[in-house]
Amino acid sequence: MAACPFRRSIASQLSRVLNLPPENLIKSISAVPVSKKRPVADFQLFVGSVIENKSSDRSKPDLQLQTQRLAEKLKCDTVVTEISTGPGTVNFTINRELLAKTVLQQVFKDGSEYGIKSELFSTLPRRKIVIEFSSPNIAKKFHVGHLRSTIIGNFVANLKEALGHHVTRINYLGDWGMQFGLLGAGFQQFGNEEELKFNPLQHLFEVYVQVNKAAAEDENIKKLAQDFFRKLEAHDEQTLLMWQHFRDFSIEEYVRIYKRLGVHFDEYSGESFYQEKSQEVLKMLDTKGLLQKTIKGTRVVDLSEERDLSLCSTVMRSDGTSLYITRDLAAAIDRMMKYNCDTMIYVTDKSQNTHFEQLFQILKLMGYQWAERCQHVSFGLVQGMKTRKGEVVFLEDVLNEARSRMLQNMASAKTTKELETPLETAEKIGLAALIIQDFKGLLSSDYQFSWDRVLQSRGDTGVFLQYTHARLHSLEQMCRNGQPTDINTACLQDPQAISVLQHLLRYDEVLYKSSEDLQPKHIVSYLLTLSHLAAVAHKTLPVKGSAPELAQARLRLFQAARSVLANGMKLLGITPVTQM
């Protein structure tokens, strides 16, 4: 990637002066973030990070003095035209024409792999990764929490795949448990075949609400529900058929909704798959002496340090049936055997933190060392997401609301062009708006949802990213005179052009940061800055009406910005629009 020849060149000079291998220095040399206030250097070395490793004498002179001394030993060359110092840093400015030439060449040569082919990732081992995300409960609301799990899981999977890992995406449905007893008993009373075919999720949810209400007043219904679930666990043919019916219809509808989100799964699994295997897990726990019986007759695994049951996890009910955690244990062991993966990642809200801590702990007690490589990516809650009709029940409501509000905004905007597919465009912009709003902060933070803020066209929103992409795309369409390959980089020396180039230089570091902590906010903030810089450059560096040589160089710069913007948006799960 563009930054690489520069980092490598700086590292090899530093390596001679510091007597350290250049490989150890690469990650200490970082691209400098663009400043609105003043021109900045292109790269900086944090001296503390390399001197500490190096210096063995006890009387360490002041860091600033060491920084000065180091800078004095370095020389400018054909790549670096200026060396200066800051607080604890040595700053390097790259030859301006070389900067423009290298960055643009690299963006177009690497295409969708720009930033990923960087040597920051060169030692990254390729892994097999299983990611479990979305995982709604059949017959219950597919609510906003599932939306977060779906888009966050999709981002993690996209990022891992882009970095060359082999990723398996699993949707682990809540398709077993006592709720099915209620649902089965309820459907026999309140269900309707026609409605089930027409709108399965809505209808099953309505039946579930009705039967819950009825069960609260009538002990008999509770008994019917328990009977239904017991029959289900005993594999009674009629009961199983009915359950399968609910499951198939629901999955069909989910697949359609996921398609709107641009999300796919390699496997639809579910708790139901592990109800028998969870009995095997209980036997294993018993054999290993990890299962203890309580006064109530339940079975628990003791997780306390003192082994005094002060912290334990219940894995079996008193009637011998399995629990959610038992099925999760069975699922983890089964996946490990099936996929032989290096890492398993679970994406759920933070209310399940304890559940996953206990899950990984029990697996370790059972002797599964790979539990160390399991990871829970947790996220906060969203408050206040409502549609015009009131509370959000289904994800579909949110998508429809985003689309219709976006259509309205597009219709009232003066700049909107006549679009061939306004519905599709509004859907893509609405989804971008939801994703950017969700990914702007730390995933673990709760946030207050607001439609007005989400769908603003100015400011740091998904609408602004889409708008920038569409604008840069139409600039390319307008200047359709083939792809300018040989451009005169002397034409890209304006501060606004340099700022865009410097920002493109940093893309690999931002990807590296997100790959380390799995937080999308680094990429979001990078793309928003890129869009702001491109907007300023678009105003001050006109393509139309400029001399051909100048116009071609500027067009190439805007094409590079659009290419990187599109790459980043796709990683986040956003489909860039070309008109709006």
Side-chain angles (χ1 to χ4, degrees):
M1 139 146 201
C4 285
F6 299 143
R7 276 200 204 100
R8 181 153 285 291
S9 171
I10 294 168
S12 64
Q13 191 183 166
L14 282 166
S15 122
R16 289 193 292 274
V17 172
L18 291 167
N19 204 8
L20 285 167
E23 273 58 44
N24 299 13
L25 297 165
I26 294 279
K27 283 182 185 167
S28 304
I29 301 164
S30 54
V32 180
V34 174
S35 155
K36 279 183 185 165
K37 297 188 182 79
R38 60 185 187 284
V40 291
D42 302 305
F43 287 97
Q44 56 188 188
L45 168 80
F46 290 96
V47 178
S49 67
V50 291
I51 296 277
E52 282 164 351
N53 313 344
K54 180 78 189 69
S55 156
S56 55
D57 63 61
R58 289 285 157 259
S59 57
K60 266 195 193 169
D62 168 39
L63 180 66
Q64 207 46 43
L65 196 63
Q66 287 180 306
T67 302
Q68 258 346 106
R69 279 184 192 158
L70 174 58
E72 280 157 20
K73 290 180 193 159
L74 299 168
K75 293 182 177 61
C76 294
D77 51 24
T78 51
V79 177
V80 175
T81 53
E82 193 188 321
I83 297 170
S84 62
T85 58
T89 64
V90 178
N91 307 321
F92 303 88
T93 303
I94 303 296
N95 171 322
R96 286 294 166 245
E97 287 193 31
L98 187 64
L99 174 77
K101 187 181 169 198
T102 314
V103 170
L104 295 180
Q105 255 175 5
Q106 209 70 42
V107 170
F108 295 110
K109 184 172 145 261
D110 291 348
S112 63
E113 289 185 308
Y114 177 73
I116 284 160
K117 283 189 163 177
S118 158
E119 57 184 23
L120 293 181
F121 296 112
S122 62
T123 55
L124 187 79
R126 303 287 177 259
R127 301 265 188 237
K128 277 188 190 163
I129 300 170
V130 165
I131 303 178
E132 179 201 293
F133 63 104
S134 192
S135 309
N137 293 309
I138 288 182
K140 293 189 182 175
K141 307 178 192 184
F142 187 118
H143 54 72
V144 189
H146 293 124
L147 169 66
R148 286 206 85 182
S149 172
T150 307
I151 59 180
I152 293 165
N154 189 47
F155 159 71
V156 173
N158 289 346
L159 182 63
K160 295 283 187 190
E161 247 163 23
L163 294 172
H165 301 295
H166 181 277
V167 175
T168 303
R169 301 159 185 247
I170 295 182
N171 196 341
Y172 183 67
L173 299 170
D175 62 356
W176 203 254
M178 210 42 226
Q179 82 230 44
F180 274 91
L182 274 167
L183 194 60
F187 197 80
Q188 287 161 336
Q189 289 201 358
F190 312 111
N192 175 318
E193 264 311 308
E194 276 310 296
E195 283 199 40
L196 180 68
K197 282 193 185 110
F198 178 65
N199 196 345
L201 299 184
Q202 179 78 35
H203 184 56
L204 288 176
F205 176 64
E206 283 164 3
V207 167
Y208 190 64
V209 170
Q210 269 180 297
V211 72
N212 260 310
K213 214 162 142 189
E217 292 155 14
D218 186 348
E219 279 297 315
N220 208 17
I221 289 183
K222 268 190 194 153
K223 204 176 147 319
L224 285 172
Q226 284 163 347
D227 288 347
F228 189 93
F229 188 53
R230 209 167 291 123
K231 279 183 185 167
L232 198 55
E233 292 243 282
H235 289 214
D236 170 70
E237 204 176 325
Q238 281 308 107
T239 316
L240 264 179
L241 262 175
M242 194 169 182
W243 168 82
Q244 190 68 46
H245 203 48
F246 294 158
R247 191 178 190 274
D248 292 348
F249 276 132
S250 298
I251 288 180
E252 226 170 272
E253 176 127 340
Y254 281 138
V255 170
R256 189 179 58 74
I257 298 171
Y258 289 130
K259 204 170 172 183
R260 281 181 72 177
L261 281 169
V263 171
H264 72 276
F265 291 93
D266 299 302
E267 183 187 307
Y268 280 87
S269 169
E271 291 182 64
S272 59
F273 287 61
Y274 297 108
Q275 149 254 340
E276 276 170 41
K277 288 190 172 131
S278 61
Q279 293 301 322
E280 290 166 31
V281 166
L282 291 170
K283 281 193 193 109
M284 283 161 74
L285 286 167
D286 202 17
T287 312
K288 289 178 188 289
L290 295 167
L291 212 53
Q292 302 201 25
K293 193 174 182 176
T294 63
I295 305 160
K296 292 179 190 160
T298 58
R299 299 281 198 287
V300 299
V301 176
D302 187 1
L303 300 173
S304 63
E305 279 180 33
E306 282 74 36
R307 295 278 164 260
D308 58 2
L309 290 178
S310 57
L311 176 66
C312 58
S313 175
T314 308
V315 290
M316 187 173 111
R317 290 195 185 90
S318 52
D319 64 359
T321 53
S322 62
L323 279 102
Y324 182 62
I325 192 155
T326 334
R327 297 191 279 271
D328 255 358
L329 287 165
I333 295 165
D334 180 60
R335 274 175 209 167
M336 210 59 189
M337 282 167 66
K338 182 174 174 184
Y339 293 108
N340 185 22
C341 52
D342 299 289
T343 314
M344 275 198 278
I345 298 172
Y346 298 83
V347 184
T348 73
D349 74 59
K350 61 187 180 189
S351 69
Q352 295 201 32
N353 285 359
T354 310
H355 169 81
F356 284 103
E357 277 166 25
Q358 296 191 349
L359 177 71
F360 303 155
Q361 220 178 328
I362 296 172
L363 286 166
K364 270 183 228 163
L365 287 175
M366 291 173 81
Y368 293 115
Q369 289 314 306
W370 48 258
E372 293 281 353
R373 306 196 301 272
C374 292
Q375 191 181 354
H376 178 215
V377 173
S378 65
F379 54 83
L381 308 173
V382 185
Q383 279 112 8
M385 194 184 265
K386 288 185 164 55
T387 66
R388 291 197 175 92
K389 290 184 195 138
E391 190 212 357
V392 170
V393 181
F394 298 108
L395 176 62
E396 193 109 49
D397 303 333
V398 183
L399 296 181
N400 293 343
E401 186 85 6
R403 183 172 67 188
S404 72
R405 283 178 186 251
M406 204 54 233
L407 268 175
Q408 227 176 355
N409 290 5
M410 281 156 63
S412 59
K414 297 179 185 69
T415 51
T416 302
K417 300 188 175 67
E418 279 298 311
L419 301 176
E420 289 128 47
T421 52
L423 260 177
E424 215 174 289
T425 304
E427 173 106 313
K428 286 174 187 159
I429 300 168
L431 191 55
L434 288 171
I435 289 175
I436 294 301
Q437 157 84 2
D438 201 277
F439 286 0
K440 265 163 76 172
L442 263 175
L443 292 180
S444 57
S445 310
D446 303 338
Y447 72 87
Q448 199 60 39
F449 185 86
S450 137
W451 282 110
D452 294 336
R453 196 175 58 238
V454 166
L455 296 171
Q456 273 170 3
S457 56
R458 303 240 172 277
D460 290 344
T461 63
V463 182
F464 173 58
L465 289 187
Q466 289 284 31
Y467 175 70
T468 306
H469 186 273
R471 214 169 145 194
L472 293 174
H473 185 267
S474 63
L475 180 69
E476 284 171 41
Q477 298 309 98
M478 212 170 58
C479 310
R480 264 200 180 134
N481 50 358
Q483 295 288 349
T485 42
D486 267 349
I487 57 155
N488 180 359
T489 47
C491 297
L492 293 177
Q493 301 308 306
D494 310 80
Q496 296 84 353
I498 296 288
S499 287
V500 172
L501 291 164
Q502 285 180 317
H503 195 60
L504 293 175
L505 204 53
R506 278 188 64 225
Y507 186 54
D508 63 344
E509 289 181 19
V510 172
L511 291 180
Y512 185 75
K513 222 171 172 176
S514 275
S515 76
E516 290 281 279
D517 63 8
L518 299 184
Q519 295 285 340
K521 70 182 182 115
H522 311 301
I523 296 173
V524 169
S525 132
Y526 176 88
L527 296 179
L528 288 165
T529 302
L530 177 59
S531 298
H532 286 296
L533 292 171
V536 171
H538 191 253
K539 263 199 200 103
T540 48
L541 310 174
V543 173
K544 255 179 123 175
S546 296
E549 193 179 36
L550 198 55
Q552 284 212 323
R554 287 174 179 174
L555 183 60
R556 202 65 176 148
L557 178 73
F558 290 125
Q559 279 176 328
R562 185 191 67 78
S563 168
V564 175
L565 178 60
N567 291 348
M569 286 166 82
K570 287 174 193 162
L571 276 182
L572 297 173
I574 296 170
T575 307
V577 300
T578 51
Q579 287 179 305
M580 69 184 267

